[in-house]
Amino acid sequence: MRGLKLIDRYKSAQVHAFNPTDTSGGKTPRGGTVRAKLEAQIIKSFVSNSKPNKAHNSVSVSEALLPYGLPATELLEPCLEPYLKPVDLIGSLAELYRRIEGCPSPSKKSLLLVEQYSLMRGLADPKLLRRCLRAARQQAEDVHSKVVLSAWLRFERREDELVGVSPMDCGGHVLECPKAALVKGYDPNSIFKDCHCCCGPSEVINESILEKNECFEEENDVSFYIGEEEIKCVRCRMATLSTPFKAMLYGSFKESRKENIDFSQNGISVEGMRAVEVYSRTKRLDFFSPKILVELLSFSNRFCCDEMKAACDAQLASLVVTIDDALILIEYGLEETANILVASCLQVLLRRLPNSLCRPKVMKFLCCSKTRGRLSMLGSASFLLYCFLSQVAMEESMVSKMTVKLLKRLGESAKENWQKALAAHQLGCVLLERQEFNTAQRSFEAAVEAGHVYSMAGVARAKNKLGQQYSAYKLMCYVISEYKPAGWMYQERSLYNIGKEKELDLSTATKMDPTLLFPYKYRAVAKMEEKQIRAAILEIDKIIGFKLSPDCLELRAWFFIALEDYGNAIRDIRVILTLEPNYMMFGEKVRGDYMIEVLSRLVQKWSQADCWMCLYEKWSSVDDVGSLAIIHQMLESDPANSVLQFRQSLLLLRLNCQKSAMRSLRLARNHSSSEHERLVYEGWILYDTGNREESLSRAEKSLSIQRSFEAFFLKAYVLADTSLNPESSSSVIQLLEEALRCPSDGLRKGQALNNLGSIYVDCGNLDQAAGCYKNALDIKHTRAHQGLARVYHLRNQRKAAYDEMTKLVEKAQNNASAYEKRSEYCDDREMAKQDLDTATELDPLRTYPYRYRAAGEISILPLSDICSFSYAVFMFLKSFMPTNGTEMHILSVSMDDQKENEAVEELTKALNFRPDLQMLHLRAAFYDSIGNTTSALRDCQAALCLDPNHTDTLDLYNRAHNSVIQN
């Protein structure tokens, strides 16, 4: 079914490479000088009839659409990654896993899990990041850490964008419940618990009740006077408030022999003292006003009334609702060391991020150095707080003063080396963006001193900006020679190189890490400068094919404009705006939506019916980028269409654009026209954030209101993903059949038929599966070729399976998965290898081709012969076994020691730029089989850092670990 590879939600890089002679500020992109200039040039090109030469007029239009020229190679520069980037990520993950496993303290383990989160930021997998935060919240003991981590988890889901959802609402999980976060203590099972908290307004008692002193069980035997006012009290009750009161009332002090005690000089009002007396008897505070509670809190501190202080702290914490409340009460909380109150106030501020940072008072409070000092009472949670705030601020603006201040507070909170490295490196990145090169260099040097080698790239960047290009070059040469070479090192050195050496560095960078954007962008722009526009487009297509990036799409849009292909230019800009709705083009000088408005005058206009027909065509040709552009165009005329927004989210998920997909889902939910529709979209949001049970509940609730295709489909999808035993398979089949009986369009019905076919295959019902796939193909669901090919293969019709996948290869546009799947049905090993090489070229992030190439010599053997091979071979075989229960033959592997070393090298190529669970486990198995137990243990530990519950890796790890102990 729908695959969910998630990507990092961090900011995209813009292309800052324009003609340096242009000095227009571009500060008013809508309606300002930039727009006026562009408008004037275009109008002039349209109305110019004096020269009827068509080519001349076309050139004029093209030039008008590129008012700042095309990017120049000498001005291109990649963004520095603003997170921890160790030289040896696998080794760092393994070492971190050892520390987490050996850590006896939950609070320290919680901080280690946040370190794990920081290390994994570069893996572009929000599921991994969310799991780190959930585990950190699970291990947190103190309320401040719980509050920060709960708010962080909520922020990752962006619930503030859901209409009708309050920031302080409990989503039903203990880990994210605002009330549960304020409960002290460590609960290891909290990750599995649902929350059933309820909110009730606090009752404020009428002060006249306090004056009557009614309903006393004991006789008043002592009076406290404040001025002329008398407060009658019970001596023994007052003595229980604290040791000082007990000493005063029953000790050797003169007050112990008095019935009337003057309390005028003790800084408490008459109303406050009456409240003390009531509390001494009732032990209740829930009916006092906040003003009285604050007074009682201060009184408790002066007279060491610990129990009353704790009660005041908790009661005041329950009254914090608004940001204004929080800003006022947090001052009292800090002054009186009321931990729960401070935590509650912070929670209100944090659960309203990023909006709360827009309020000057909040910004002033959080960014102030004095506040950071006062918040030192939070301990390690102080670092967590500023780590979270800094991340939010950097996402909002990399160059704001607020971001700089928060990062400075983060540095002040840092205690361990990794914390200091993170704070200094991120501050360096921000200062570099702000063009404060001297201070940026010092920050990067501080990060290097704390052990972060990647920050040397920042030092080199700053040196280069200060005119020290050769010094920057030497520094990167030193990094390459002293540390394990990586793609980013050669990319960085290329910035200070020229000619063939620069090209060689970029080529090496791509070979070592094909996911780096900059080398493709540079080569594309270089070809453009040589007037090879189509070659430039082909170059940038290489990266866009597997990594959708706004800046690469913008670059391709410019090339299309220069080529006068305005239709494809509009397509790319529409996809950019789908990913980032407020994207600014031409070095952040012109809004993307304005460029669409201008370009639309040069192409044929489409009706909604035309768009639907085109969408079917794009969907059929597996052109997901083109489909996104069509949906964006349709949403222009119908922006509240929740169905289109939902389709948009499905495409974005398929393209691994998790952040944008979730935004589209939230919009679909907000614009839903009915309750049952809203529940379905909420269900998908819950599913995509790992809350399967709640997702299933939403689907069932939607169906109880109205039967619909999407509700049945959601329920079937969640059930299929949770567990697929014979009983649940039957339920999933029934649900999908019910879905197909409900009204929907061909796009969704094709997907349902494809999924139904997949379930039938898993159940061994090949005839029914083939029927589903053929029906899907009849409505142009092209991906069904893949399922039908699998059916043919299981029927031992390998030629038919190969031919079926060839049809998909021919219809799909650069679909790496089609080549990958076709390779499984090749009888000729060389043909299979060619398909896999093509798949890797189109999408180097796919792991199957590396695992296949690591296998060595392949022959067809029965399943029963597996036992004669090594564990590494067995694990390779297991990774390719079909999931159905039919009798089968599988590919097995025959290797000698040299082949196993070659297998390790093949896996290492991919692991150098993308740590993957399956490949780490397989490489560990190969290491184990050749006796390299140390490397096997390291790879197991790194894999378990990615997934601590991976059964096969745990088994291998335990066996290797026992082997080390025995030897």
Side-chain angles (χ1 to χ4, degrees):
M1 289 191 177
R2 188 177 60 159
L4 292 180
K5 295 179 182 177
L6 312 184
I7 66 169
D8 188 18
R9 61 169 67 243
Y10 220 78
K11 66 184 281 291
S12 298
Q14 298 264 30
V15 183
H16 300 284
F18 294 89
N19 189 336
T21 60
D22 179 80
T23 58
S24 59
K27 298 186 183 298
T28 55
R30 298 284 293 184
T33 57
V34 174
R35 175 168 180 166
K37 174 183 175 182
L38 186 57
E39 188 80 26
Q41 287 177 306
I42 295 169
I43 292 173
K44 182 178 179 181
S45 68
F46 281 135
V47 301
S48 177
N49 295 317
S50 58
K51 295 183 179 180
N53 187 313
K54 183 177 179 181
H56 174 82
N57 286 339
S58 296
V59 170
S60 299
V61 173
S62 179
E63 290 175 351
L65 292 171
L66 295 167
Y68 302 101
L70 287 159
T73 50
E74 65 267 17
L75 297 178
L76 282 175
E77 186 176 277
C79 285
L80 280 172
E81 306 290 356
Y83 44 71
L84 293 180
K85 191 180 180 78
V87 173
D88 179 11
L89 179 57
I90 291 173
S92 298
L93 291 174
E95 190 267 339
L96 183 57
Y97 178 79
R98 292 193 294 271
R99 284 194 286 145
I100 292 173
E101 287 299 295
C103 181
S105 167
S107 59
K108 291 181 179 178
K109 185 177 287 189
S110 179
L111 205 56
L112 285 172
L113 289 161
V114 175
E115 181 180 355
Q116 182 184 16
Y117 171 90
S118 300
L119 276 177
M120 290 183 175
R121 287 284 303 281
L123 297 185
D125 191 341
K127 275 190 174 179
L128 282 178
L129 298 180
R130 184 168 180 81
R131 197 185 66 217
C132 290
L133 290 178
R134 284 171 63 86
R137 167 63 182 85
Q138 180 191 12
Q139 298 292 328
E141 290 183 297
D142 63 282
V143 294
H144 297 109
S145 296
K146 290 180 180 181
V147 160
V148 174
L149 291 167
S150 293
W152 204 334
L153 281 165
R154 186 182 186 280
F155 176 79
E156 290 292 319
R157 289 205 316 274
R158 296 297 199 278
E159 278 206 358
D160 60 293
E161 295 181 18
L162 293 178
V163 173
V165 175
S166 168
M168 299 305 291
D169 283 350
C170 173
H173 307 284
V174 168
L175 289 186
E176 297 179 36
C177 174
K179 288 190 174 182
L182 297 176
V183 178
K184 297 179 181 178
Y186 163 60
D187 182 3
N189 296 317
S190 60
I191 197 169
F192 308 109
K193 291 183 178 179
D194 291 332
C195 187
H196 303 288
C197 70
C198 57
C199 302
S202 299
E203 179 186 356
V204 179
I205 195 169
N206 190 304
E207 292 191 3
S208 62
I209 297 176
L210 303 180
E211 296 174 359
K212 295 180 181 178
N213 288 330
E214 294 176 346
C215 301
F216 295 167
E217 295 179 2
E218 295 102 343
E219 183 179 351
N220 298 321
D221 54 358
V222 65
S223 295
F224 289 85
Y225 280 85
I226 297 176
E228 300 296 324
E229 295 288 337
E230 177 186 13
I231 299 95
K232 294 181 180 180
C233 305
V234 179
R235 184 181 294 269
C236 65
R237 295 293 185 183
M238 295 294 290
T240 60
L241 292 177
S242 68
T243 300
F245 263 108
K246 184 176 181 180
M248 178 179 69
L249 296 174
Y250 286 103
S252 57
F253 294 98
K254 61 182 180 180
E255 285 84 357
S256 64
R257 296 182 294 275
K258 287 184 176 183
E259 293 184 0
N260 299 316
I261 301 172
D262 185 6
F263 227 60
S264 301
Q265 305 302 316
N266 286 286
I268 188 167
S269 67
V270 174
E271 294 78 8
M273 196 62 196
R274 286 201 176 102
V276 171
E277 188 278 327
V278 172
Y279 176 80
S280 72
R281 291 181 294 100
T282 65
K283 302 300 180 184
R284 289 184 60 189
L285 293 170
D286 53 324
F287 35 63
F288 295 123
S289 68
K291 179 181 177 182
I292 296 298
L293 289 170
V294 168
E295 196 171 0
L296 290 183
L297 182 64
S298 178
F299 179 87
S300 299
N301 266 335
R302 286 200 302 276
F303 290 93
C304 304
C305 304
D306 295 337
E307 183 182 351
M308 186 164 72
K309 177 184 177 179
C312 288
D313 193 1
Q315 185 61 27
L316 280 168
S318 69
L319 300 178
V320 184
V321 177
T322 68
I323 290 179
D324 291 330
D325 294 339
L327 290 173
I328 293 170
L329 290 175
I330 197 169
E331 294 290 344
Y332 290 106
L334 290 169
E335 186 69 27
E336 304 296 343
T337 63
N339 286 347
I340 305 297
L341 176 57
V342 171
S344 181
C345 293
L346 284 175
Q347 182 165 249
V348 168
L349 300 180
L350 296 179
R351 290 174 75 91
R352 287 169 170 79
L353 290 172
N355 296 332
S356 57
L357 284 181
C358 297
R359 298 187 58 160
K361 288 184 179 179
V362 175
M363 186 179 69
K364 181 179 179 181
F365 174 79
L366 292 173
C367 296
C368 178
S369 180
K370 180 182 177 182
T371 298
R372 213 286 316 163
R374 296 170 72 190
L375 288 173
S376 61
M377 61 181 279
L378 306 184
S380 60
S382 177
F383 175 81
L384 288 181
L385 171 65
Y386 283 102
C387 189
F388 177 31
L389 289 171
S390 298
Q391 179 178 318
V392 175
M394 291 173 72
E395 287 192 25
E396 291 299 298
S397 171
M398 281 287 285
V399 295
S400 70
K401 290 182 179 179
M402 174 186 67
T403 303
V404 174
K405 289 179 180 178
L406 286 172
L407 285 169
K408 287 181 178 179
R409 302 296 85 78
L410 177 65
E412 293 166 3
S413 306
K415 297 292 186 291
E416 300 179 21
N417 277 343
W418 75 268
Q419 298 173 353
K420 295 175 182 177
L422 177 64
H425 179 74
Q426 290 186 330
L427 181 58
C429 290
V430 169
L431 292 171
L432 198 65
E433 285 283 315
R434 288 169 59 88
Q435 301 185 18
E436 299 176 23
F437 303 125
N438 282 307
T439 48
Q441 181 178 336
R442 289 194 292 271
S443 289
F444 285 127
E445 287 170 346
V448 172
E449 187 177 347
H452 193 231
V453 175
Y454 178 64
S455 293
M456 287 189 182
V459 175
R461 294 279 190 101
K463 284 177 175 287
N464 185 50
K465 297 294 185 183
L466 293 168
Q468 304 170 30
Q469 182 176 346
Y470 184 61
S471 178
Y473 173 78
K474 286 198 301 181
L475 180 58
M476 291 315 302
C477 287
Y478 167 79
V479 172
I480 291 172
S481 64
E482 289 296 313
Y483 299 95
K484 178 183 176 182
W488 65 263
M489 298 178 184
Y490 289 94
Q491 174 179 276
E492 291 298 319
R493 190 173 71 174
S494 74
L495 300 178
Y496 320 117
N497 237 327
I498 57 173
K500 294 293 183 182
E501 288 77 11
K502 188 182 190 79
E503 293 176 8
L504 183 61
D505 273 350
L506 289 172
S507 177
T508 304
T510 298
K511 184 177 180 181
M512 298 187 75
D513 185 354
T515 66
L516 293 171
L517 302 181
F518 176 72
Y520 300 95
K521 290 160 62 176
Y522 183 89
R523 287 189 291 263
V525 173
K527 286 179 171 64
M528 181 68 201
E529 290 177 339
E530 295 171 359
K531 308 301 182 184
Q532 302 176 31
I533 304 179
R534 294 194 182 280
I537 292 172
L538 289 174
E539 180 65 34
I540 205 67
D541 279 347
K542 293 177 183 178
I543 187 70
I544 292 176
F546 68 90
K547 194 172 184 179
L548 210 57
S549 168
D551 53 331
C552 291
L553 285 166
E554 180 186 4
L555 200 57
R556 190 169 72 175
W558 294 349
F559 295 156
F560 279 127
I561 291 173
L563 202 60
E564 302 171 27
D565 186 348
Y566 305 122
N568 277 324
I570 290 178
R571 177 203 61 194
D572 284 350
I573 298 172
R574 288 191 183 281
V575 177
I576 291 170
L577 294 178
T578 300
L579 298 174
E580 294 188 15
N582 298 317
Y583 194 88
M584 303 285 289
M585 299 185 67
F586 301 113
E588 302 188 13
K589 292 182 174 67
V590 180
R591 287 181 63 93
D593 54 2
Y594 176 64
M595 284 303 301
I596 289 180
E597 179 186 331
V598 170
L599 289 168
S600 295
R601 305 173 190 176
L602 304 172
V603 297
Q604 182 181 356
K605 289 181 171 55
W606 288 356
S607 66
Q608 285 290 88
D610 294 331
C611 288
W612 272 110
M613 290 183 65
C614 190
L615 181 59
Y616 271 90
E617 180 186 334
K618 298 294 183 185
W619 192 280
S620 178
S621 63
V622 199
D623 181 3
D624 293 332
V625 172
S627 298
L628 273 182
I630 299 297
I631 290 178
H632 183 273
Q633 182 174 351
M634 296 167 78
L635 284 169
E636 273 188 340
S637 57
D638 191 5
N641 190 320
S642 59
V643 173
L644 287 175
Q645 287 159 343
F646 177 58
R647 302 298 166 81
Q648 189 179 68
S649 74
L650 297 177
L651 284 166
L652 288 165
L653 282 173
R654 185 178 290 161
L655 291 164
N656 300 330
C657 302
Q658 172 74 358
K659 176 184 176 182
S660 302
M662 292 302 291
R663 183 177 61 244
S664 294
L665 260 180
R666 289 190 292 270
L667 287 171
R669 182 265 187 200
N670 290 342
H671 291 140
S672 53
S673 58
S674 62
E675 175 71 5
H676 74 87
E677 186 183 5
R678 179 182 63 79
L679 288 166
V680 168
Y681 300 144
E682 286 183 0
W684 280 117
I685 291 171
L686 288 164
Y687 173 81
D688 289 339
T689 53
N691 301 306
R692 293 174 180 170
E693 291 183 5
E694 292 80 358
S695 175
L696 196 60
S697 174
R698 292 291 199 284
E700 290 170 345
K701 190 173 180 181
S702 177
L703 287 170
S704 70
I705 299 172
Q706 181 175 320
R707 291 165 52 88
S708 70
F709 174 92
E710 294 299 350
F712 278 119
F713 190 92
L714 170 61
K715 186 175 180 181
Y717 196 93
V718 177
L719 282 177
D721 190 48
T722 304
S723 73
L724 205 57
N725 52 43
E727 182 179 350
S728 62
S729 294
S730 177
S731 298
V732 171
I733 289 171
Q734 286 182 329
L735 289 166
L736 287 173
E737 288 175 343
E738 289 293 331
L740 288 166
R741 294 189 188 101
C742 297
S744 187
D745 58 70
L747 299 179
R748 293 299 283 156
K749 290 209 170 184
Q751 183 66 59
L753 284 165
N754 198 60
N755 290 1
L756 183 57
S758 178
I759 303 299
Y760 276 133
V761 169
D762 291 338
C763 296
N765 300 326
L766 300 185
D767 291 338
Q768 293 93 324
C772 288
Y773 291 130
K774 288 175 181 177
N775 288 336
L777 288 171
D778 287 342
I779 54 177
K780 297 187 176 181
H781 188 79
T782 307
R783 286 182 172 86
H785 283 299
Q786 183 172 313
L788 192 55
R790 185 183 174 197
V791 171
Y792 289 143
H793 172 62
L794 293 173
R795 289 173 172 170
N796 293 321
Q797 299 172 326
R798 290 178 61 82
K799 177 66 166 58
Y802 181 86
D803 291 342
E804 198 66 34
M805 285 308 302
T806 299
K807 294 177 184 177
L808 179 57
V809 167
E810 291 170 350
K811 291 180 181 179
Q813 294 193 359
N814 294 334
N815 194 324
S817 67
Y819 285 99
E820 179 185 292
K821 291 297 180 183
R822 189 174 72 170
S823 72
E824 297 180 27
Y825 312 127
C826 288
D827 291 324
D828 186 300
R829 175 174 171 77
E830 285 304 314
M831 290 177 62
K833 187 175 181 300
Q834 287 176 11
D835 274 354
L836 289 174
D837 289 344
T838 302
T840 297
E841 184 180 347
L842 293 174
D843 184 357
L845 294 176
R846 304 190 71 85
T847 64
Y848 176 90
Y850 298 100
R851 291 187 286 123
Y852 182 93
R853 287 188 290 265
E857 297 299 324
I858 296 182
S859 59
I860 300 295
L861 288 177
L863 184 63
S864 58
D865 288 356
I866 293 178
C867 58
S868 63
F869 295 95
S870 69
Y871 177 78
V873 172
F874 172 76
M875 293 316 303
F876 172 78
L877 295 171
K878 183 177 179 181
S879 69
F880 293 106
M881 285 185 186
T883 56
N884 64 74
T886 59
E887 186 175 351
M888 72 197 92
H889 287 64
I890 64 172
L891 294 175
S892 70
V893 186
S894 175
M895 298 185 186
D896 54 24
D897 288 344
Q898 180 181 352
K899 289 292 184 181
E900 290 193 338
N901 285 325
E902 291 175 3
V904 168
E905 291 177 7
E906 180 64 33
L907 293 170
T908 301
K909 289 179 186 177
L911 288 170
N912 281 339
F913 66 87
R914 191 201 178 193
D916 173 81
L917 177 64
Q918 287 185 325
M919 287 194 291
L920 278 169
H921 173 243
L922 191 57
R923 191 174 73 167
F926 282 129
Y927 274 132
D928 182 60
S929 68
I930 60 179
N932 190 343
T933 309
T934 302
S935 296
L937 283 172
R938 179 205 59 203
D939 280 358
C940 284
Q941 288 160 348
L944 292 171
C945 204
L946 298 175
D947 183 358
N949 299 315
H950 192 251
T951 307
D952 290 334
T953 303
L954 282 169
D955 292 342
L956 176 58
Y957 177 62
N958 291 331
R959 186 169 61 257
H961 190 263
N962 292 335
S963 175
V964 170
I965 294 174
Q966 291 171 3
N967 294 333

